């Protein structure tokens, strides 16, 4: 069974007329030196600055993979593992982990190293974002299936399916709770 056929049988609604793209086709790295204008009140780089870099890199990957505009639908599991300091060279590495009909999960790793040292970069953060591909009118459009190439890519694809299942179950549970509360006479 081919990777595309495996994805289709695993619940991915692959469209035959849209060929799949390998993970490496849209993988990218965004690098940025952190300056004093990026700091928070503690003197380290503000988490929002890192989140913007994460969203920028993930958006570039989603646009490259889908062949057009894509918008951020959600960001989850944003983890800050270490503080980032002024003078750090931050590398934001992003790739498409999973694709649905019009949505894509993009995994992001954030690494930092001192701009003037030859020490290896260390991972300082990670995140998962979901993007929706849209047309010129803002309506969802179909995306090509992602074709995992390596063992890591395949693991990331499988983990992304688990995260998707959890996101959908959480949304369903919240909607059911809200409906129950309305039926019981509570106004939210």
């Amino acid at each position: 069974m081919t990777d595309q056929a495996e994805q289709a049988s695993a619940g991915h609604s692959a469209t035959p007329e849209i060929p799949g793209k390998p993970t490496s086709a849209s993988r990218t790295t965004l690098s940025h030196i952190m300056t004093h204008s990026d700091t928070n009140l503690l003197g380290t780089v503000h988490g929002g600055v890192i989140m913007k870099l994460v969203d920028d890199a993930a958006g570039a990957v989603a646009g490259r993979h889908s062949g057009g505009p894509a918008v951020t639908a959600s960001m989850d599991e944003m983890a800050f593992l270490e503080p980032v300091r002024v003078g750090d060279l931050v590398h934001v590495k992003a790739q498409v982990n999973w694709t649905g009909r019009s949505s894509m999960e993009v995994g992001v790793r954030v690494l930092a190293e001192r701009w003037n040292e030859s020490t290896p970069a260390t991972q300082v953060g990670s995140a998962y974002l979901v993007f929706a591909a849209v047309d010129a009118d803002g309506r969802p459009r179909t995306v090509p299936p992602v074709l995992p190439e390596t063992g890591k890519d395949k693991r990331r694809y499988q983990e992304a399916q688990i995260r998707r299942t959890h996101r959908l179950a959480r949304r369903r549970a919240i909607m059911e709770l809200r409906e129950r509360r309305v039926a019981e006479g509570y106004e939210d």
Side-chain angles (χ1 to χ4, degrees):
M1 190 182 280
T2 67
D3 283 340
Q4 250 180 324
E6 286 177 25
Q7 290 175 6
S9 68
H12 185 281
S13 55
T15 306
E17 56 272 0
I18 298 180
K21 287 186 178 179
T23 306
S24 62
S26 58
R27 186 180 291 140
T28 194
T29 300
L30 172 69
S31 297
H32 188 78
I33 293 179
M34 298 293 106
T35 66
H36 287 286
S37 65
D38 299 318
T39 60
N40 59 26
L41 296 175
L42 298 174
T44 57
V45 173
H46 194 288
V49 170
I50 301 299
M51 290 174 73
K52 181 174 183 337
L53 293 173
V54 164
D55 192 45
D56 288 346
V61 167
R64 289 172 80 173
H65 181 83
S66 68
V71 296
T72 310
S74 70
M75 174 188 270
D76 57 31
E77 297 186 39
M78 180 72 211
F80 296 101
L81 307 173
E82 298 282 336
V84 177
R85 301 171 295 158
V86 169
D88 281 353
L89 178 58
V90 172
H91 307 286
V92 184
K93 299 177 175 280
Q95 75 172 50
V96 173
N97 290 336
W98 176 88
T99 54
R101 190 183 57 75
S102 62
S103 63
M104 301 159 276
E105 184 196 88
V106 178
V108 180
R109 290 181 58 220
V110 183
L111 303 141
E113 61 182 307
R114 295 306 294 169
W115 70 273
N116 59 349
E117 296 176 9
S118 60
T119 56
T122 59
Q123 185 170 352
V124 296
S126 65
Y128 298 101
L129 297 88
V130 176
F131 278 79
V134 295
D135 64 17
D137 297 319
R139 290 187 304 263
R141 62 182 175 79
T142 305
V143 299
V146 67
L147 304 174
E149 300 171 279
T150 67
K152 279 185 180 180
D153 293 342
K154 290 174 183 170
R155 175 186 54 78
R156 289 176 178 146
Y157 183 89
Q158 292 170 331
E159 290 173 359
Q161 289 177 305
I162 293 167
R163 282 187 293 274
R164 179 177 186 271
T165 300
H166 286 235
R167 280 191 292 268
L168 293 174
R170 183 178 59 235
R171 182 183 309 147
R172 191 171 32 257
I174 289 170
M175 295 309 292
E176 289 170 1
L177 174 64
R178 289 179 181 174
E179 289 171 7
R180 235 182 358 262
R181 288 184 52 80
V182 167
E184 293 169 357
Y186 294 102
E187 289 189 35
D188 285 340

